[in-house]
Amino acid sequence: MTSTTTADRPQRSRLNRLIRELWFQVVLAAVLGIAVGVLAPGLGEELKPLNDWFIALVKMIVIPVVFCVVTTGIASMDNLRKAGRIGVKAIGYFLVLSFVSMLIGLVIANVFQPGSGLSVDPASLNADDVPETATEHATLTGFVSSLIPSSLLGAITGDAILAALMVSIIFGVALNMAGEDGVPLTRGIKALSNVVFRIVGWVMRLAPLGTFGALATVVATYGADSLKQLGYLIILFTPTRSC
């Protein structure tokens, strides 16, 4: 009896470690969400706030992460001219790869049409859910205007990622050029980044709840057949993500 108990301990230990893994929790939450959407559609539709709240938390923490990482990275560089060259190359890579990604997305969307099997009426979609910034960036003037925040601190506390990136770069360059006078502030931002990434860890632990609410709502609203198109989309997206 003692030997049996001793043999069961490694298995229980592995099971406990598996349960604590975030990816396993997400997979389990996805299965439960699909089950709720199929067996209790009414309840599934009511679970939509879980996904909305998780996305809101992710949006909440994105800009502080960008500010801390970009600002401390530039402020800590010994050669600001080298940092400028790296920045120009980074922007160039971003523009080129964004253009290539857009072309790949257009080709795949028109050739494979991953959403053609969904029974979704476009007239039933709410246009108010589309952010206003999505249309403001359609022109060159709107894009440049989105880079300039109304205030320095407003860019950090707001939700405009481009303005926050611009302020982070300017702030990091200014700290770098300030020399010894900027060292205490740089250390403070590095300490802030430790706090911010701790919050990121807490938010990521809530990913299973967001996954559970999202899949329960999708299955309850569009039916279980929508999972086929969702899986098809994931299959198409996976190889193109490495391009």
Side-chain angles (χ1 to χ4, degrees):
M1 182 174 182
T2 304
S3 60
T4 304
T5 305
T6 305
D8 289 342
R9 287 179 180 176
Q11 296 180 358
R12 293 179 180 178
S13 178
R14 287 194 294 268
L15 180 60
N16 291 333
R17 287 198 300 268
L18 181 62
I19 293 175
R20 287 195 295 267
E21 291 290 337
L22 182 60
W23 68 267
F24 180 78
Q25 295 175 8
V26 171
V27 172
L28 182 61
V31 174
L32 293 176
I34 294 172
V36 170
V38 172
L39 301 176
L43 176 61
E45 292 180 355
E46 296 296 328
L47 294 175
K48 185 177 183 298
L50 291 178
N51 181 51
D52 295 339
W53 293 337
F54 176 71
I55 293 176
L57 288 173
V58 172
K59 291 181 178 179
M60 173 195 73
I61 203 64
V62 166
I63 289 182
V65 169
V66 170
F67 174 76
C68 292
V69 171
V70 174
T71 300
T72 55
I74 296 177
S76 302
M77 285 188 173
D78 297 330
N79 191 335
L80 193 58
R81 182 176 297 179
K82 182 180 179 180
R85 290 197 299 267
I86 294 175
V88 171
K89 290 181 180 179
I91 293 175
Y93 287 141
F94 175 78
L95 294 176
V96 172
L97 294 179
S98 296
F99 180 72
V100 173
S101 300
M102 181 184 66
L103 290 180
I104 293 174
L106 289 173
V107 170
I108 289 179
N110 286 278
V111 173
F112 296 98
Q113 299 181 358
S116 60
L118 293 176
S119 56
V120 179
D121 184 10
S124 64
L125 300 179
N126 187 6
D128 295 335
D129 293 336
V130 180
E132 295 181 359
T133 54
T135 56
E136 292 175 355
H137 296 172
T139 63
L140 178 61
T141 303
F143 175 76
V144 175
S145 298
S146 66
L147 294 176
I148 304 174
S150 57
S151 65
L152 183 66
L153 296 179
I156 304 173
T157 59
D159 57 355
I161 186 66
L162 292 177
L165 181 60
M166 175 64 69
V167 169
S168 301
I169 294 174
I170 295 174
F171 208 83
V173 172
L175 283 177
N176 192 298
M177 297 181 65
E180 294 296 329
D181 294 335
V183 171
L185 188 55
T186 302
R187 291 176 179 172
I189 297 176
K190 287 182 179 179
L192 176 63
S193 66
N194 293 332
V195 177
V196 168
F197 278 103
R198 186 175 294 274
I199 297 175
V200 170
W202 294 343
V203 172
M204 289 300 101
R205 299 307 302 182
L206 298 176
L209 290 178
T211 303
F212 174 72
L215 286 178
T217 303
V218 168
V219 174
T221 304
Y222 303 111
D225 292 338
S226 61
L227 295 176
K228 297 180 182 178
Q229 298 304 123
L230 181 60
Y232 185 41
L233 177 63
I234 294 175
I235 293 174
L236 293 175
F237 174 76
T238 300
T240 59
R241 188 169 66 93
S242 60
C243 296

